[in-house]
Amino acid sequence: MKFFIYSRKSVYTGKGESIDNQIEMCKQYIFTKFPDATVNDFSIYEDEGFSAKNTERPKFQQMLRDIKLKKPDYIVCYRLDRISRNVSDFSTLIEELNQRSISFICIKEEFDTSKPMGKAMMYIASVFAQLERETIAERVRDNMVMLARTGRWLGGTTPTGYTSEKIQEIIIDGKIKTSCKLKDNPPELLTVDCIFDKYLEYKSISGVSKYLISQNMKSRSGKFYSLLGIKDILQNPVYCMADQDARNYFVKKNADVCFEEKDCSNKYGLISYNKRDYKKKHAPRQSVDKWIISIGRHKGRIEGKKWAAIQAILEENIPTGKNPSKIHNDYSLLSGLIYCDNCGGRMFAKHRSGKKGNSALFDYICHSKLCGGKNLCDCQNLNGQETDDAVCRHLMECFNEYPSVFKLLENLKRDIQKEGTEYPLERIQANIKKCNEEMDNLVNSISENKPSTILLEKINSKMQHLEQELIELEQKQYQIQQEILATEDQEQKKDLLVSSLSNLKGNFSGLTIQEKRTFIKLLIHKIIWDGENLHIFIYSEK
């Protein structure tokens, strides 16, 4: 007889049966029930650090593959929830085992699918396992909501202008109750005040960004504030005083406001919770009516009336800060390929003010200048259409003067086959997936146990950290996606090279903007604008 032994355990708790203990107990059970069995009859599969919410576990998947190849007589596990807490996944597994005449044994519950009663009881137990998981997860969420209503800081990356400090408050049954609150970071708060004041003055996030750059005001990371970072500061209730105007604003928005009118004052600021939906992929930001708003233990910074006025401007001006110049568009050939010799930044295509209907009227502008104006870089703009035409003429001349260009294209054709592995996008996407999996594992690991309040706060702190990391990764992913062609363009490169290598010069003028851009990126390594002359570097000339 052949026996597959499966064990699973989360790494996020030190309690419960270890992997080794589970396997040992399964072996002892087999030796007791099947005296003729030997250790050579066992195949062991161990998954440590994986939740039972689904079957996406490496050793479990390997076991499923081995079932088809080796066909064991029995699959043995310590407890039913080691396999799955999802009824659908469990049912699918049992149906497949039945079709292959493989019996399933849980030694703790003493279920054996080789017997009708054991099969029925196992289905019932799987239903209760899923119910228990969902109930505990909801109880954990309710507990976190209850903590949020107290106004304490629940952990994670602190907002700009604050640090976190632990405070000891009450002694309960001889135990010291510890919680966290936000503590002022005066230098950063001066920047926050400036951001709010300048936004009211300019009514533009990009305007605020340019002002901060002109004053060399940087974030705690040492970089200039991004448009998204400035917007997050303006929308964060943590800076708003817990006064009557603030309460009225959130009541009107149907948020869950956890304090009464009599509690309003300008002494403390607000704490918001449940701003993101962690049940969904990438934890998207939720509408204000899903937020929980309570009075924090830190000082308020912006009067409620002023804060509400800023939100109104933001809502009216939704496109602000959301339409940065893209590397790829439907009118320019060289956006992102030209570099400013003055500051080293890339130059991007931008329509001239009020000329969006005329695609010929655009310029290439240094990214630093776009963000911070002439204070950051005073590089002369390039006429877009004239620059595109000049570069195309230069390429045509290269085709006549340098036959080696065609050999270069042949080499590039081979390089394209492997270029997908050279882009960092895949690594970023892998990290995003890992980040989401860690967040899922955190939620599901605590749903398998009953963690203390302190542990809940630690887990929430980790969730907040992962959330911030996820945001940064998604921003990097967006930037990289702007710098490389879409997947379909990769196939276009290959087809284009195969069909056009023999008569490139004759075909070039008839190509679309997209196709021309593809060839230019293949042939040109970099273009540098020094304010007077355009320097074009063909790959063979590097």
Side-chain angles (χ1 to χ4, degrees), residues 285-319:
R285 189 184 183 94
Q286 302 199 99
S287 57
V288 179
D289 61 324
K290 301 290 195 305
W291 294 9
I292 297 171
I293 304 294
S294 60
I295 298 178
R297 304 179 186 185
H298 63 286
K299 294 178 182 179
R301 200 75 186 174
I302 309 296
E303 291 181 352
K305 186 175 182 179
K306 179 179 177 179
W307 192 86
I310 287 173
Q311 306 315 302
I313 298 172
L314 285 167
E315 290 170 8
E316 291 174 2
N317 198 21
I318 291 176

Side-chain angles (χ1 to χ4, degrees), residues 156-221:
T157 303
T158 55
T160 300
Y162 298 100
T163 58
S164 176
E165 69 172 350
K166 290 185 178 181
I167 54 174
Q168 296 179 345
E169 297 181 293
I170 308 170
I171 296 179
I172 303 176
D173 297 331
K175 295 182 180 179
I176 298 177
K177 184 179 180 182
T178 302
S179 61
C180 293
K181 77 167 189 174
L182 294 175
K183 181 181 178 182
D184 287 0
N185 182 333
E188 288 187 356
L189 282 175
L190 290 176
T191 302
V192 170
D193 291 341
C194 178
I195 288 173
F196 277 92
D197 290 339
K198 290 301 175 182
Y199 186 74
L200 278 177
E201 179 182 345
Y202 298 140
K203 295 180 174 55
S204 163
I205 293 177
S206 61
V208 175
S209 173
K210 289 178 181 178
Y211 178 82
L212 295 178
I213 291 172
S214 70
Q215 300 299 310
N216 199 35
M217 300 172 74
K218 299 182 180 181
S219 68
R220 64 178 63 162
S221 65

Side-chain angles (χ1 to χ4, degrees), residues 420-434:
T421 60
E422 297 174 352
Y423 287 135
L425 180 60
E426 291 184 1
R427 295 195 298 273
I428 296 293
Q429 290 172 335
N431 288 335
I432 288 175
K433 181 180 179 182
K434 180 181 177 182

Side-chain angles (χ1 to χ4, degrees), residues 277-288:
D277 187 354
Y278 291 102
K279 296 179 184 178
K280 296 181 180 178
K281 188 176 182 180
H282 304 323
R285 189 184 183 94
Q286 302 199 99
S287 57
V288 179

Side-chain angles (χ1 to χ4, degrees), residues 34 74 98 102-105 111-119:
F34 304 91
Y74 290 90
N98 287 342
I102 300 172
S103 297
F104 183 76
I105 297 176
F111 295 151
D112 184 349
T113 58
S114 64
K115 302 173 183 178
M117 184 57 69
K119 186 183 298 183

Side-chain angles (χ1 to χ4, degrees), residues 47-92:
D47 276 318
E48 190 158 9
F50 291 90
S51 166
K53 71 159 190 171
N54 57 40
T55 59
E56 296 301 319
R57 290 163 259 150
K59 293 301 181 181
F60 186 83
Q61 291 299 320
Q62 181 183 332
M63 182 179 73
L64 295 182
R65 292 191 293 270
D66 289 349
I67 283 173
K68 300 174 183 178
L69 298 174
K70 302 178 182 179
K71 194 182 179 302
D73 297 286
Y74 290 90
I75 291 180
V76 183
C77 72
Y78 171 68
R79 208 169 61 202
L80 183 62
D81 61 7
R82 300 302 90 190
I83 293 291
S84 178
R85 289 178 180 265
N86 185 291
V87 176
S88 176
D89 291 338
F90 180 78
S91 300
T92 301

